[in-house]
Amino acid sequence: WLFAINGLVYVIYLLISKEWKFIIPNKNSFKEAFQVILYDLKISKKHPAIKKFNGAQQFAYTGVIVMGFLSLVTGIAIYKPIQFAALVELLGGYEFARFEHFVLTLGYLAFFISHVLQVLKAGWNNLRAMITGLEIIAEEESKLYE
């Protein structure tokens, strides 16, 4: 239930703060995501546009929210299959609900690995900032912000 409450609080935060506008993919997101993938694979030298969330991030973060909801639904179905028989049936049966739940777990693993690789690629300072919440700015860079 902590998982469900955490997800609900996050979605409420996105709605209240209007951050959802940056995370939900838009009409340009497919093109941006493709450019990011080409750049990350070193197929393209053209750096993608820098903004709060690029197209690939929009798909990834929206996908994780959807996956969280689906994990909750499939988890309830396999936890109490008799009480939620209609839900189990809607998911394709008990065995298929278990399979869907497992596939979602693989999706989280893929998200986690790609997320950590992207952070490592961005540099040690970004990884440290993710863990501590503090970003260390070099003295030369800090003069740019003055």
Side-chain angles (χ1 to χ4, degrees), residues 15 17 27-28 31 63 107 119-120 122 127 136:
L15 294 173
S17 68
K27 63 181 179 178
N28 299 321
K31 181 180 173 187
V119 170
L120 290 173
L127 180 62
I136 298 172

Side-chain angles (χ1 to χ4, degrees), residues 55-70:
Q57 291 171 315
Q58 289 172 329
F59 282 113
Y61 297 144
T62 301
V64 166
I65 292 169
V66 171
M67 286 169 44
F69 175 74
L70 293 173

Side-chain angles (χ1 to χ4, degrees), residues 25-142:
N26 57 44
K27 63 181 179 178
N28 299 321
S29 296
F30 277 110
K31 181 180 173 187
E32 290 173 10
F34 190 65
Q35 289 172 342
V36 169
I37 291 169
L38 291 177
Y39 181 78
D40 286 348
L41 293 175
K42 304 204 184 305
I43 295 171
S44 172
K45 303 267 188 227
K46 183 181 173 196
H47 197 287
I50 296 176
K51 55 187 209 174
K52 189 165 186 169
F53 296 104
N54 63 43
Q57 291 171 315
Q58 289 172 329
F59 282 113
Y61 297 144
T62 301
V64 166
I65 292 169
V66 171
M67 286 169 44
F69 175 74
L70 293 173
S71 290
L72 183 64
V73 170
T74 57
I76 289 170
I78 61 179
Y79 176 62
K80 298 280 187 178
I82 303 301
Q83 292 85 343
F84 294 98
L87 180 60
V88 172
E89 194 65 33
L90 185 66
L91 292 170
Y94 181 77
E95 290 300 320
F96 200 67
R98 286 183 64 211
F99 175 74
E100 292 165 331
H101 199 72
F102 177 74
V103 169
L104 287 165
T105 304
L106 295 177
Y108 291 122
L109 184 62
F111 174 81
F112 175 76
I113 290 170
S114 64
H115 195 77
V116 170
L117 289 175
Q118 288 290 359
V119 170
L120 290 173
K121 180 181 169 204
W124 173 248
N125 195 32
N126 282 353
L127 180 62
R128 184 178 38 233
M130 275 185 64
I131 295 168
T132 65
L134 302 171
E135 184 176 16
I136 298 172
I137 299 175
E139 195 171 320
E140 300 83 40
E141 286 182 62
S142 66

